[in-house]
Amino acid sequence: MTIRTITTSVLIIITIIKFDSAIGETFMTHISIKVKQYTPDISLKLANNKKEDKFADYQSLMDFDVAGRPWRETLSRSFKTDKELAKVFNNINRVDDEVYKVIATRITPYIAQLMDKDDQACPIRIQYVPEQNEMDVAPQEMGDQLGEDNMMPEGTSIVHRYPNRVLFLVHNICGSYCRHCTRKRMVSDPLNVISMDRIRNSVEYLRQHPEVQDVLLSGGDPLLLTDDKLDQILSMIREARPDLKILRIGSRLPAQLPTRVTPELCQVLVKNRVTLLNTQINHPKEITPLFVEHMALLRNSGIMLGNQSVLIKGVNDSVEVMRDLVMELISNGIRPYYVYSMDPAPGNSKFQVSYDRMLEIYHGIRGWVSGPAIPTFIVDGIGGLGKMPVQPEYVRKQEIDGKTKLIATNFEGRSVDMTFLLDE
């Protein structure tokens, strides 16, 4: 290797570490010269990640004080391989390195503390622990099935699927990597870092499209950016489009590391008039006192809170679990917004909940929980069709004795004739 080549490689490594320090170790493992085009403007401090900081056993993990540590320090101590997990948990299956090429593994100490030490069927373990069968890809899971890439204007990181709203991708890294992730094709991939040039182009796109009135920041996870970086991007958007009606953030980091939500972060969101923050809670076990405490900071700042769950086999494909989940959310000021069917990303078929089961769960919560706690069940159409609600037919036309009737059936299964509504 020549001196010139060494210099180029080092420059590339520094660029990636500056972009997100807490993942410096992972990026250095997957380094490629193709990354050199991405040069972010605001550097991040490299978090300390000494070998002695790794957890030696289950007790050392449970003794770790998440609430008392800076969030970036906690993030730097995340589990990244099945081998690290096997030192702390029982019944961790070995996986090939190929699994990590589909999507990396990262599990924050906070999430790890919620996982059962022994039970592979733990609803938290199912969501985060890598398994070999993630390499089993069904035919419908090949490529960008939701058509996002085809709806991304060249040079931007915007997905413009609906007339008046857009998805704005600002990051491709997450606090922890869900095994059911819909964007496995891009998250955790060092070759897919979203550059500031693309972000600037995206802001310019918003400036040139006044019909857009709703912008959703997503990724990856926007809250994995520093406060300064996030403030910069939000300020750029507000400067270009002060007339925006809605500016939203989608982030699972509050559920994966609640200490990321700080008074300083709230100040950034309030300053830039962020309307709503949606997180993803899939099981009541994720609604911890620490989570509730830090989400209250957002509520008290005037930020509306929503939740988008994903139906996952073995996690929440139960009427009882879903009832508990939506009621716990609404009681803590978080609106259950959507419940998604599993997106067809590579390897996700093992998590898939059937359409019929989806309807059973919907029937099982409507009428049995408070109205504000009932989310909309959604199928995201492949090929870029967008979100389509799944609605049980409580009111429908039926042919009875040669006449068209309108029959309404309530949540208990009792029916009544409402044919008078068919009269003009």
Side-chain angles (χ1 to χ4, degrees), residues 77-252:
R77 298 183 66 170
S78 296
F79 296 85
K80 296 181 179 178
T81 67
D82 58 291
K83 299 176 184 65
E84 290 179 0
L85 288 166
K87 294 178 181 178
V88 175
F89 296 93
N90 297 325
N91 304 316
I92 297 293
N93 296 326
R94 294 291 301 271
V95 300
D96 297 337
D97 290 343
E98 294 297 311
V99 170
Y100 301 116
K101 294 180 181 179
V102 176
I103 184 170
T105 290
R106 180 157 66 185
I107 302 171
T108 66
Y110 169 79
I111 284 293
Q113 288 175 347
L114 301 184
M115 290 171 19
D116 190 278
K117 181 181 179 181
D118 303 301
D119 187 9
Q120 291 182 325
C122 163
I124 311 300
R125 285 178 64 147
I126 288 174
Q127 294 182 67
Y128 291 103
V129 174
E131 295 289 352
Q132 190 62 37
N133 59 5
E134 293 176 38
M135 301 298 294
D136 300 337
V137 179
Q140 72 271 16
E141 296 173 344
M142 300 298 293
D144 174 27
Q145 288 288 9
L146 299 185
E148 290 185 338
D149 295 344
N150 294 332
M151 298 179 182
M152 187 175 290
E154 186 175 356
T156 75
S157 59
I158 276 181
V159 179
H160 197 166
R161 172 180 289 153
Y162 301 99
N164 75 332
R165 62 190 189 271
V166 300
L167 177 69
F168 191 153
L169 305 178
V170 298
H171 207 1
N172 79 317
I173 307 301
C174 294
S176 290
Y177 292 114
C178 310
R179 310 321 295 174
H180 59 275
C181 179
T182 187
R183 296 195 182 105
K184 293 179 183 179
R185 70 188 188 280
M186 65 165 282
V187 299
S188 79
D189 182 358
L191 300 184
N192 259 320
V193 174
I194 297 174
S195 69
M196 279 304 298
D197 282 343
R198 287 179 69 189
I199 289 175
R200 289 191 190 93
N201 291 342
S202 299
V203 172
E204 186 58 31
Y205 182 87
L206 294 178
R207 193 191 307 273
Q208 295 174 8
H209 289 266
E211 73 276 13
V212 173
Q213 288 295 316
D214 180 355
V215 175
L216 169 61
L217 266 61
S218 186
D221 201 310
L223 294 192
L224 206 60
L225 298 171
T226 61
D227 292 345
D228 286 344
K229 186 71 170 181
L230 185 61
D231 185 25
Q232 179 191 10
I233 295 171
L234 290 170
S235 297
M236 290 166 61
I237 294 172
R238 280 300 185 188
E239 184 279 327
R241 291 294 311 281
D243 61 313
L244 278 178
K245 302 294 185 186
I246 300 174
L247 180 54
R248 298 183 280 163
I249 293 178
S251 171
R252 203 176 185 194

Side-chain angles (χ1 to χ4, degrees), residues 289-313:
L290 188 64
F291 171 79
V292 170
E293 175 188 344
H294 284 265
M295 293 302 277
L297 293 177
L298 291 166
R299 284 184 66 195
N300 294 337
S301 299
I303 309 295
M304 291 190 292
L305 302 176
N307 186 73
Q308 300 184 132
S309 298
V310 179
L311 276 180
I312 306 172
K313 185 179 293 185

Side-chain angles (χ1 to χ4, degrees), residues 5 55 111 128 245 278 306 353 393:
T5 304
F55 300 103
I111 284 293
Y128 291 103
K245 302 294 185 186
N278 267 324
V353 177
E393 291 192 61

